[in-house]
């Protein structure tokens, strides 16, 4: 994975779990992956999404609307696994 982007709304209820996930996990994610750009993009009214950019410009995204923090963590794990599968 070359880059991780988290898109969310600062105020909407649909982004509340994503906001909590970022607040609770950003520091650990950055500590474990100091060279990985982790971008938090806030935009009014946007549905929460998680995007990963891999080698050769390949990108994969997952919608996070309605997911709780544990499900968001699993979505992130799924994106990491998808990137590993691309290397094969």
């Amino acid at each position: 994975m070359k880059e991780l982007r988290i898109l969310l709304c600062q105020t909407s209820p649909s982004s509340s779990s994503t906001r909590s996930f970022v607040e609770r996990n950003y520091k650990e994610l950055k500590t474990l992956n100091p060279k990985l750009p982790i971008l938090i993009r806030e935009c009014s009214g946007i549905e929460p999404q998680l995007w990963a950019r891999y080698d050769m410009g390949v990108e994969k995204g997952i919608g996070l609307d309605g997911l709780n923090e544990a499900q968001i963590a699993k979505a992130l794990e799924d994106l990491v696994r998808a990137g590993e599968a691309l290397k094969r």
Side-chain angles (χ1 to χ4, degrees):
M1 186 180 298
K2 297 290 187 184
E3 177 184 276
L4 177 65
R5 288 189 313 276
I6 301 171
L7 287 68
L8 56 93
C9 176
Q10 305 94 316
T11 58
S12 75
S14 65
S15 288
S16 64
S17 293
T18 305
R19 286 191 303 272
S20 295
F21 177 83
V22 170
E23 290 170 6
R24 289 190 173 102
N25 297 287
Y26 178 83
K27 185 176 179 180
E28 181 181 3
L29 286 170
K30 198 60 185 170
T31 300
L32 294 172
N33 305 283
K35 294 184 179 186
L36 176 68
I38 301 175
L39 311 174
I40 311 301
R41 297 292 185 238
E42 297 177 324
C43 180
S44 181
I46 195 169
E47 290 191 21
Q49 302 171 37
L50 188 60
W51 284 88
R53 184 173 52 85
Y54 308 103
D55 290 327
M56 307 292 288
V58 174
E59 293 192 356
K60 291 192 183 286
I62 298 176
L64 304 176
D65 191 14
L67 301 184
N68 62 35
E69 288 184 55
Q71 292 168 319
I72 293 170
K74 184 180 180 320
L76 177 56
E77 290 172 13
D78 291 345
L79 287 175
V80 170
R81 278 194 219 90
E84 291 170 353
L86 290 173
K87 292 179 183 179
R88 296 180 189 150

Coordinates of all heavy atoms in Angstrom, one line a residue:
M1 N 0.8 -1.2 0.0 CA 0.0 0.0 0.0 C 0.9 1.2 0.0 O 1.8 1.3 0.8 CB -0.9 0.0 1.2 CG -1.9 1.1 1.3 SD -3.0 1.1 2.7 CE -3.9 -0.5 2.6
K2 N 0.6 2.2 -0.9 CA 1.4 3.4 -1.0 C 0.7 4.6 -0.3 O 1.4 5.5 0.1 CB 1.5 3.8 -2.5 CG 2.3 2.8 -3.3 CD 3.7 2.8 -2.9 CE 4.5 1.9 -3.9 NZ 5.9 1.8 -3.4
E3 N -0.6 4.5 -0.1 CA -1.3 5.6 0.5 C -2.7 5.1 1.0 O -3.3 4.3 0.4 CB -1.5 6.7 -0.5 CG -2.3 7.9 0.0 CD -2.6 8.9 -1.1 OE1 -1.7 9.7 -1.4 OE2 -3.7 8.8 -1.7
L4 N -3.1 5.7 2.2 CA -4.4 5.4 2.8 C -5.1 6.7 2.9 O -4.6 7.7 3.4 CB -4.2 4.7 4.1 CG -5.5 4.4 4.9 CD1 -6.3 3.4 4.1 CD2 -5.2 4.0 6.3
R5 N -6.4 6.8 2.4 CA -7.2 8.0 2.5 C -8.5 7.6 3.2 O -9.1 6.6 2.8 CB -7.5 8.6 1.1 CG -6.4 9.2 0.5 CD -6.8 10.0 -0.8 NE -7.6 9.3 -1.7 CZ -7.2 8.5 -2.7 NH1 -5.9 8.2 -2.8 NH2 -8.1 7.9 -3.5
I6 N -8.9 8.5 4.2 CA -10.1 8.3 4.9 C -10.9 9.5 4.6 O -10.5 10.7 4.9 CB -9.9 8.1 6.4 CG1 -9.0 6.9 6.6 CG2 -11.2 8.0 7.1 CD1 -8.5 6.7 8.0
L7 N -12.1 9.4 4.0 CA -13.0 10.5 3.7 C -14.2 10.4 4.6 O -14.7 9.4 4.9 CB -13.5 10.4 2.2 CG -12.5 10.6 1.1 CD1 -11.5 9.6 1.0 CD2 -13.3 10.7 -0.2
L8 N -14.5 11.6 5.2 CA -15.6 11.7 6.1 C -16.2 13.1 6.2 O -15.5 14.0 5.8 CB -15.1 11.2 7.5 CG -14.0 11.9 8.2 CD1 -14.4 13.0 9.1 CD2 -13.1 10.9 9.0
C9 N -17.4 13.1 6.8 CA -18.0 14.4 7.1 C -17.8 14.8 8.5 O -17.8 13.9 9.4 CB -19.5 14.3 6.8 SG -20.4 15.8 7.2
Q10 N -17.5 16.0 8.8 CA -17.2 16.4 10.2 C -18.4 16.4 11.1 O -18.2 16.2 12.3 CB -16.7 17.9 10.2 CG -15.6 18.2 9.3 CD -16.0 18.8 8.0 OE1 -17.0 18.2 7.4 NE2 -15.4 19.8 7.5
T11 N -19.6 16.4 10.6 CA -20.8 16.5 11.4 C -21.9 15.4 11.2 O -22.7 15.2 12.1 CB -21.5 17.9 11.2 OG1 -21.8 18.0 9.9 CG2 -20.5 19.0 11.7
S12 N -21.9 14.7 10.1 CA -23.0 13.9 9.8 C -23.0 12.6 10.7 O -21.9 12.1 11.0 CB -23.0 13.5 8.3 OG -22.0 12.5 8.1
P13 N -24.2 12.1 11.1 CA -24.3 10.9 11.8 C -23.7 9.7 11.1 O -23.1 8.8 11.7 CB -25.8 10.7 12.0 CG -26.4 12.0 11.9 CD -25.5 12.7 10.9
S14 N -23.7 9.6 9.8 CA -23.2 8.5 9.0 C -21.7 8.4 9.1 O -21.1 7.3 8.9 CB -23.6 8.6 7.6 OG -23.0 9.7 6.9
S15 N -21.0 9.5 9.5 CA -19.6 9.5 9.6 C -19.1 9.3 11.1 O -17.9 9.4 11.3 CB -19.0 10.7 9.0 OG -19.0 10.8 7.6
S16 N -20.0 9.2 12.0 CA -19.7 9.2 13.4 C -18.7 8.1 13.8 O -17.7 8.3 14.5 CB -20.9 9.2 14.3 OG -21.6 8.0 14.2
S17 N -19.0 6.9 13.3 CA -18.1 5.7 13.6 C -16.7 5.9 12.9 O -15.7 5.6 13.5 CB -18.7 4.4 13.1 OG -19.8 4.1 13.8
T18 N -16.7 6.5 11.8 CA -15.4 6.8 11.1 C -14.6 7.8 11.9 O -13.4 7.7 12.0 CB -15.7 7.2 9.6 OG1 -16.5 6.2 9.0 CG2 -14.4 7.4 8.9
R19 N -15.3 8.8 12.3 CA -14.6 9.9 13.2 C -14.0 9.2 14.4 O -12.9 9.5 14.8 CB -15.5 11.0 13.5 CG -15.9 11.9 12.4 CD -16.6 13.2 12.9 NE -17.8 12.9 13.6 CZ -19.0 12.8 13.1 NH1 -19.2 12.9 11.8 NH2 -20.1 12.6 13.8
S20 N -14.8 8.4 15.1 CA -14.3 7.7 16.3 C -13.1 6.8 16.0 O -12.2 6.7 16.7 CB -15.4 6.9 16.9 OG -16.5 7.7 17.4
F21 N -13.2 6.1 14.8 CA -12.1 5.2 14.4 C -10.8 6.0 14.2 O -9.8 5.6 14.7 CB -12.5 4.4 13.1 CG -11.4 3.6 12.6 CD1 -11.2 2.3 13.1 CD2 -10.5 4.0 11.6 CE1 -10.2 1.5 12.6 CE2 -9.5 3.2 11.2 CZ -9.3 2.0 11.7
V22 N -10.9 7.1 13.6 CA -9.8 7.9 13.3 C -9.2 8.4 14.7 O -8.0 8.4 14.9 CB -10.1 9.1 12.4 CG1 -8.9 10.1 12.3 CG2 -10.4 8.6 11.0
E23 N -10.1 8.9 15.5 CA -9.6 9.5 16.8 C -8.9 8.4 17.7 O -7.9 8.7 18.3 CB -10.8 10.0 17.6 CG -11.4 11.3 17.0 CD -12.7 11.7 17.6 OE1 -13.1 11.1 18.6 OE2 -13.3 12.7 17.1
R24 N -9.4 7.2 17.6 CA -8.9 6.1 18.5 C -7.7 5.4 17.8 O -6.9 4.8 18.6 CB -9.9 5.1 18.8 CG -11.0 5.6 19.7 CD -11.9 4.5 20.2 NE -12.8 5.0 21.2 CZ -14.1 5.3 21.0 NH1 -14.6 5.1 19.8 NH2 -14.8 5.7 22.0
N25 N -7.6 5.4 16.5 CA -6.6 4.5 15.9 C -5.5 5.3 15.0 O -4.5 4.6 14.7 CB -7.3 3.5 14.9 CG -8.2 2.6 15.7 OD1 -7.7 1.7 16.4 ND2 -9.5 2.8 15.7
Y26 N -5.7 6.5 14.7 CA -4.7 7.2 13.9 C -3.3 7.1 14.4 O -2.4 6.8 13.7 CB -5.1 8.7 13.7 CG -4.1 9.4 12.8 CD1 -4.1 9.3 11.4 CD2 -3.1 10.1 13.4 CE1 -3.2 10.0 10.6 CE2 -2.1 10.8 12.6 CZ -2.2 10.7 11.2 OH -1.2 11.3 10.5
K27 N -3.1 7.4 15.7 CA -1.8 7.5 16.3 C -1.1 6.1 16.2 O 0.1 6.0 15.8 CB -1.9 7.9 17.7 CG -0.5 8.1 18.4 CD -0.6 8.6 19.8 CE 0.8 8.7 20.4 NZ 0.7 9.2 21.8
E28 N -1.8 5.0 16.5 CA -1.2 3.7 16.4 C -0.9 3.3 14.9 O 0.1 2.8 14.6 CB -2.2 2.7 17.0 CG -1.6 1.2 16.9 CD -2.5 0.2 17.5 OE1 -3.7 0.5 17.9 OE2 -2.1 -1.0 17.5
L29 N -1.8 3.6 14.0 CA -1.6 3.3 12.6 C -0.4 4.1 12.1 O 0.5 3.5 11.4 CB -2.8 3.8 11.7 CG -4.0 2.9 11.8 CD1 -5.2 3.6 11.1 CD2 -3.8 1.5 11.2
K30 N -0.2 5.3 12.5 CA 0.9 6.1 12.1 C 2.2 5.6 12.7 O 3.3 5.6 12.1 CB 0.7 7.6 12.4 CG 1.6 8.5 11.6 CD 1.4 8.3 10.1 CE 2.3 9.1 9.3 NZ 2.4 8.8 7.9
T31 N 2.1 5.2 14.0 CA 3.3 4.7 14.7 C 3.8 3.4 14.0 O 5.0 3.2 13.8 CB 3.0 4.4 16.2 OG1 2.6 5.7 16.7 CG2 4.2 3.9 16.9
L32 N 2.8 2.5 13.7 CA 3.2 1.2 13.0 C 3.6 1.4 11.6 O 4.3 0.5 11.0 CB 2.0 0.3 13.1 CG 1.6 -0.2 14.5 CD1 0.3 -1.0 14.5 CD2 2.8 -1.0 15.2
N33 N 3.2 2.5 10.9 CA 3.5 2.7 9.5 C 4.0 4.1 9.3 O 3.3 4.9 8.6 CB 2.2 2.5 8.7 CG 1.6 1.1 8.9 OD1 2.1 0.1 8.4 ND2 0.6 1.0 9.7
P34 N 5.1 4.5 9.8 CA 5.6 5.9 9.8 C 5.8 6.5 8.4 O 5.7 7.7 8.2 CB 6.9 5.8 10.6 CG 7.4 4.4 10.6 CD 6.1 3.6 10.5
K35 N 6.1 5.6 7.4 CA 6.3 6.2 6.1 C 5.1 6.1 5.2 O 5.1 6.6 4.1 CB 7.4 5.4 5.4 CG 8.8 5.6 6.1 CD 9.9 4.9 5.4 CE 11.2 5.2 6.2 NZ 12.3 4.7 5.5
L36 N 4.0 5.5 5.7 CA 2.8 5.5 4.9 C 2.0 6.8 5.0 O 1.6 7.2 6.1 CB 1.9 4.3 5.4 CG 0.5 4.2 4.7 CD1 0.7 3.8 3.2 CD2 -0.3 3.2 5.4
P37 N 1.7 7.5 3.9 CA 0.8 8.6 4.0 C -0.6 8.2 4.4 O -1.2 7.4 3.7 CB 0.9 9.2 2.6 CG 2.1 8.6 1.9 CD 2.3 7.3 2.6
I38 N -1.1 8.7 5.5 CA -2.5 8.5 5.9 C -3.2 9.9 5.8 O -2.9 10.7 6.6 CB -2.5 7.9 7.3 CG1 -1.7 6.6 7.4 CG2 -4.0 7.7 7.7 CD1 -1.6 6.0 8.8
L39 N -4.0 10.0 4.9 CA -4.7 11.3 4.6 C -6.1 11.2 5.1 O -6.9 10.3 4.8 CB -4.7 11.6 3.1 CG -3.3 11.4 2.4 CD1 -3.5 11.6 0.9 CD2 -2.3 12.4 3.0
I40 N -6.5 12.2 5.9 CA -7.9 12.3 6.4 C -8.5 13.5 5.7 O -8.0 14.6 5.8 CB -7.9 12.7 8.0 CG1 -7.0 11.7 8.7 CG2 -9.3 12.7 8.5 CD1 -7.3 10.2 8.6
R41 N -9.5 13.2 4.9 CA -10.2 14.2 4.1 C -11.6 14.5 4.6 O -12.4 13.6 4.6 CB -10.2 13.8 2.6 CG -8.8 13.6 2.0 CD -8.2 15.0 1.9 NE -6.9 14.9 1.2 CZ -5.8 15.3 1.7 NH1 -5.7 15.8 2.9 NH2 -4.7 15.2 1.1
E42 N -11.8 15.7 5.1 CA -13.1 16.0 5.6 C -13.9 16.9 4.6 O -13.3 17.8 4.0 CB -13.0 16.8 6.9 CG -12.3 16.0 8.0 CD -12.1 16.8 9.3 OE1 -11.8 18.0 9.2 OE2 -12.3 16.2 10.4
C43 N -15.1 16.5 4.3 CA -15.9 17.3 3.4 C -17.4 17.2 3.8 O -17.9 16.1 4.1 CB -15.8 16.7 2.0 SG -16.7 17.5 0.7
S44 N -18.0 18.4 3.9 CA -19.4 18.4 4.4 C -20.3 17.6 3.5 O -20.3 17.7 2.3 CB -19.9 19.9 4.4 OG -21.2 19.9 4.9
G45 N -21.1 16.7 4.1 CA -22.1 15.9 3.4 C -21.6 14.7 2.7 O -22.4 13.9 2.1
I46 N -20.3 14.4 2.7 CA -19.8 13.2 2.0 C -20.0 11.9 2.8 O -20.1 12.0 4.1 CB -18.2 13.3 1.7 CG1 -17.8 12.3 0.7 CG2 -17.4 13.2 3.0 CD1 -16.4 12.6 0.2
E47 N -20.3 10.8 2.1 CA -20.4 9.5 2.8 C -19.0 9.0 3.2 O -18.1 9.2 2.4 CB -21.1 8.5 1.9 CG -22.6 8.9 1.7 CD -23.3 7.8 1.0 OE1 -22.9 6.6 1.1 OE2 -24.4 8.1 0.5
P48 N -18.8 8.4 4.4 CA -17.5 8.0 4.8 C -17.0 6.9 3.9 O -17.8 6.0 3.5 CB -17.7 7.5 6.2 CG -19.2 7.2 6.3 CD -19.9 8.1 5.3
Q49 N -15.7 7.0 3.5 CA -15.1 6.0 2.6 C -13.6 5.8 3.1 O -13.0 6.6 3.7 CB -15.1 6.5 1.2 CG -16.4 6.8 0.6 CD -16.3 7.5 -0.7 OE1 -15.5 7.2 -1.5 NE2 -17.2 8.5 -0.9
L50 N -13.1 4.6 2.7 CA -11.7 4.3 2.9 C -11.1 3.9 1.6 O -11.7 3.0 0.9 CB -11.7 3.1 3.9 CG -10.4 2.6 4.5 CD1 -9.7 3.7 5.3 CD2 -10.6 1.4 5.4
W51 N -10.0 4.6 1.2 CA -9.4 4.3 -0.1 C -7.9 4.0 0.1 O -7.2 4.6 1.0 CB -9.5 5.6 -1.0 CG -10.8 5.7 -1.6 CD1 -11.8 6.4 -1.0 CD2 -11.3 5.2 -2.8 NE1 -12.9 6.4 -1.8 CE2 -12.6 5.6 -3.0 CE3 -10.7 4.5 -3.8 CZ2 -13.4 5.3 -4.1 CZ3 -11.4 4.1 -4.9 CH2 -12.8 4.6 -5.0
A52 N -7.5 3.0 -0.6 CA -6.1 2.6 -0.6 C -5.5 2.7 -2.0 O -6.2 2.3 -3.0 CB -5.9 1.2 -0.1
R53 N -4.3 3.3 -2.1 CA -3.6 3.4 -3.4 C -2.4 2.4 -3.3 O -1.7 2.4 -2.3 CB -3.1 4.8 -3.7 CG -2.5 4.9 -5.1 CD -2.2 6.3 -5.5 NE -1.4 7.0 -4.5 CZ -0.1 7.0 -4.4 NH1 0.6 6.2 -5.2 NH2 0.5 7.7 -3.4
Y54 N -2.3 1.6 -4.3 CA -1.2 0.6 -4.4 C -0.2 1.0 -5.5 O -0.4 2.0 -6.1 CB -1.8 -0.8 -4.7 CG -2.9 -1.2 -3.7 CD1 -4.3 -1.1 -4.1 CD2 -2.6 -1.6 -2.4 CE1 -5.3 -1.5 -3.2 CE2 -3.7 -2.0 -1.5 CZ -5.0 -1.9 -1.9 OH -6.0 -2.2 -1.1
D55 N 0.7 0.0 -5.8 CA 1.6 0.2 -6.9 C 0.9 0.4 -8.2 O -0.2 -0.1 -8.4 CB 2.6 -1.0 -7.0 CG 3.6 -1.0 -5.9 OD1 4.0 0.0 -5.4 OD2 3.9 -2.2 -5.5
M56 N 1.5 1.1 -9.1 CA 1.0 1.3 -10.5 C -0.3 2.1 -10.5 O -1.1 1.9 -11.4 CB 0.8 -0.1 -11.2 CG 2.1 -1.0 -11.2 SD 3.4 -0.3 -12.2 CE 2.8 -0.5 -13.8
G57 N -0.6 2.8 -9.5 CA -1.8 3.7 -9.5 C -3.1 3.0 -9.2 O -4.1 3.6 -9.4
V58 N -3.0 1.7 -8.9 CA -4.2 0.9 -8.6 C -4.8 1.4 -7.3 O -4.1 1.6 -6.3 CB -3.9 -0.6 -8.5 CG1 -5.2 -1.4 -8.1 CG2 -3.4 -1.1 -9.8
E59 N -6.1 1.7 -7.3 CA -6.9 2.2 -6.1 C -8.1 1.3 -5.9 O -8.7 0.8 -6.8 CB -7.3 3.6 -6.3 CG -6.2 4.6 -6.3 CD -6.6 6.0 -6.2 OE1 -7.9 6.3 -6.1 OE2 -5.8 6.9 -6.1
K60 N -8.3 1.1 -4.6 CA -9.5 0.3 -4.2 C -10.2 1.1 -3.0 O -9.5 1.6 -2.1 CB -9.2 -1.1 -3.7 CG -8.7 -2.0 -4.8 CD -8.6 -3.4 -4.3 CE -8.1 -4.3 -5.4 NZ -9.0 -4.6 -6.4
G61 N -11.5 1.2 -3.0 CA -12.2 1.9 -2.0 C -13.4 1.1 -1.4 O -13.9 0.2 -2.1
I62 N -13.7 1.4 -0.2 CA -14.8 0.7 0.5 C -15.6 1.8 1.2 O -15.1 2.7 1.9 CB -14.2 -0.2 1.6 CG1 -13.4 -1.3 1.0 CG2 -15.3 -0.8 2.4 CD1 -12.7 -2.3 2.0
G63 N -16.9 1.7 1.0 CA -17.9 2.6 1.7 C -18.0 2.2 3.2 O -18.1 1.0 3.5
L64 N -18.0 3.2 4.1 CA -18.0 2.9 5.5 C -19.4 3.3 6.2 O -19.5 3.1 7.4 CB -16.9 3.7 6.2 CG -15.5 3.4 5.7 CD1 -14.5 4.3 6.4 CD2 -15.1 1.9 5.8
D65 N -20.3 3.8 5.4 CA -21.6 4.2 5.9 C -22.3 3.0 6.6 O -22.4 1.9 6.0 CB -22.5 4.7 4.8 CG -23.7 5.4 5.3 OD1 -23.8 5.7 6.5 OD2 -24.6 5.7 4.5
G66 N -22.7 3.2 7.9 CA -23.4 2.1 8.6 C -22.5 1.1 9.3 O -23.0 0.3 10.0
L67 N -21.1 1.3 9.1 CA -20.2 0.3 9.8 C -19.8 0.8 11.1 O -19.7 2.0 11.3 CB -19.0 0.1 8.9 CG -19.2 -0.4 7.5 CD1 -17.8 -0.6 6.8 CD2 -20.0 -1.7 7.5
N68 N -19.6 -0.1 12.1 CA -19.1 0.3 13.4 C -17.5 0.3 13.3 O -16.9 -0.1 12.3 CB -19.6 -0.6 14.5 CG -19.2 -2.0 14.3 OD1 -18.1 -2.4 13.9 ND2 -20.1 -2.9 14.7
E69 N -16.9 0.6 14.4 CA -15.4 0.7 14.4 C -14.7 -0.6 14.1 O -13.8 -0.6 13.4 CB -14.9 1.3 15.7 CG -15.2 2.8 15.9 CD -14.7 3.3 17.2 OE1 -13.4 3.2 17.4 OE2 -15.4 3.9 17.9
A70 N -15.3 -1.7 14.6 CA -14.7 -3.0 14.4 C -14.8 -3.4 12.9 O -13.9 -3.9 12.3 CB -15.4 -4.1 15.3
Q71 N -15.9 -3.0 12.3 CA -16.1 -3.3 10.9 C -15.2 -2.4 10.0 O -14.7 -2.9 9.0 CB -17.6 -3.1 10.5 CG -18.5 -4.1 11.1 CD -20.0 -3.8 11.0 OE1 -20.4 -2.6 11.1 NE2 -20.8 -4.8 10.7
I72 N -15.0 -1.2 10.5 CA -14.0 -0.3 9.7 C -12.6 -0.9 9.8 O -11.9 -0.9 8.8 CB -14.1 1.1 10.3 CG1 -15.5 1.7 10.0 CG2 -13.0 2.0 9.7 CD1 -15.7 3.0 10.7
A73 N -12.2 -1.4 11.0 CA -10.9 -2.0 11.1 C -10.8 -3.2 10.2 O -9.7 -3.4 9.6 CB -10.7 -2.4 12.6
K74 N -11.9 -4.0 10.1 CA -11.8 -5.2 9.2 C -11.7 -4.7 7.7 O -11.0 -5.3 6.9 CB -13.1 -6.1 9.4 CG -13.0 -7.3 8.5 CD -14.2 -8.2 8.6 CE -14.1 -9.4 7.8 NZ -13.6 -9.2 6.4
A75 N -12.4 -3.6 7.4 CA -12.4 -3.1 6.0 C -10.9 -2.7 5.7 O -10.4 -2.9 4.6 CB -13.3 -1.9 5.9
L76 N -10.2 -2.1 6.7 CA -8.9 -1.7 6.5 C -8.0 -2.9 6.3 O -7.1 -3.0 5.4 CB -8.3 -0.9 7.7 CG -6.9 -0.5 7.6 CD1 -6.5 0.3 6.4 CD2 -6.6 0.3 8.9
E77 N -8.2 -4.0 7.1 CA -7.5 -5.2 6.9 C -7.7 -5.8 5.5 O -6.8 -6.3 4.9 CB -7.9 -6.2 8.0 CG -7.4 -5.9 9.4 CD -8.0 -6.8 10.4 OE1 -8.6 -7.9 10.1 OE2 -7.9 -6.4 11.6
D78 N -9.0 -5.7 5.0 CA -9.3 -6.3 3.7 C -8.5 -5.5 2.6 O -8.1 -6.1 1.7 CB -10.8 -6.2 3.4 CG -11.6 -7.1 4.3 OD1 -11.0 -8.1 4.9 OD2 -12.9 -6.9 4.4
L79 N -8.4 -4.2 2.8 CA -7.6 -3.4 1.8 C -6.1 -3.8 1.8 O -5.5 -3.8 0.8 CB -7.8 -1.9 2.0 CG -9.2 -1.3 1.7 CD1 -9.2 0.1 2.1 CD2 -9.4 -1.5 0.2
V80 N -5.6 -4.0 3.0 CA -4.2 -4.5 3.1 C -4.0 -5.8 2.4 O -3.1 -6.0 1.6 CB -3.8 -4.5 4.6 CG1 -2.4 -5.2 4.7 CG2 -3.7 -3.2 5.2
R81 N -4.9 -6.8 2.7 CA -4.9 -8.1 2.0 C -5.0 -8.0 0.5 O -4.3 -8.7 -0.2 CB -5.9 -9.0 2.6 CG -5.6 -9.7 3.8 CD -6.5 -10.8 4.2 NE -6.8 -10.8 5.6 CZ -7.8 -10.2 6.2 NH1 -8.6 -9.6 5.5 NH2 -7.9 -10.3 7.5
A82 N -5.9 -7.1 0.0 CA -6.0 -6.9 -1.4 C -4.7 -6.4 -2.0 O -4.3 -6.8 -3.1 CB -7.1 -5.9 -1.7
G83 N -4.0 -5.5 -1.3 CA -2.7 -5.0 -1.8 C -1.7 -6.1 -1.9 O -0.9 -6.2 -2.8
E84 N -1.7 -7.0 -0.9 CA -0.7 -8.1 -0.8 C -1.0 -9.1 -2.0 O -0.1 -9.6 -2.6 CB -0.8 -8.8 0.5 CG -0.3 -8.0 1.6 CD -0.5 -8.6 3.0 OE1 -1.3 -9.6 3.1 OE2 0.0 -8.1 4.0
A85 N -2.3 -9.2 -2.3 CA -2.7 -10.1 -3.4 C -2.2 -9.6 -4.8 O -1.9 -10.3 -5.7 CB -4.2 -10.4 -3.4
L86 N -2.2 -8.3 -4.9 CA -1.7 -7.6 -6.1 C -0.3 -7.9 -6.4 O 0.2 -7.9 -7.6 CB -2.0 -6.1 -6.1 CG -3.4 -5.6 -6.1 CD1 -3.5 -4.1 -5.9 CD2 -4.0 -6.0 -7.5
K87 N 0.5 -8.2 -5.4 CA 2.0 -8.4 -5.5 C 2.3 -9.7 -6.1 O 3.3 -10.0 -6.6 CB 2.7 -8.2 -4.2 CG 2.6 -6.8 -3.6 CD 3.3 -6.8 -2.3 CE 3.3 -5.4 -1.7 NZ 3.9 -5.3 -0.4
R88 N 1.3 -10.7 -6.0 CA 1.5 -12.0 -6.5 C 1.4 -12.2 -8.0 O 0.9 -11.5 -8.7 CB 0.6 -13.0 -5.8 CG 0.8 -13.0 -4.3 CD -0.2 -13.9 -3.7 NE 0.0 -13.7 -2.2 CZ -1.0 -13.9 -1.4 NH1 -2.2 -14.3 -1.7 NH2 -0.8 -13.7 -0.1

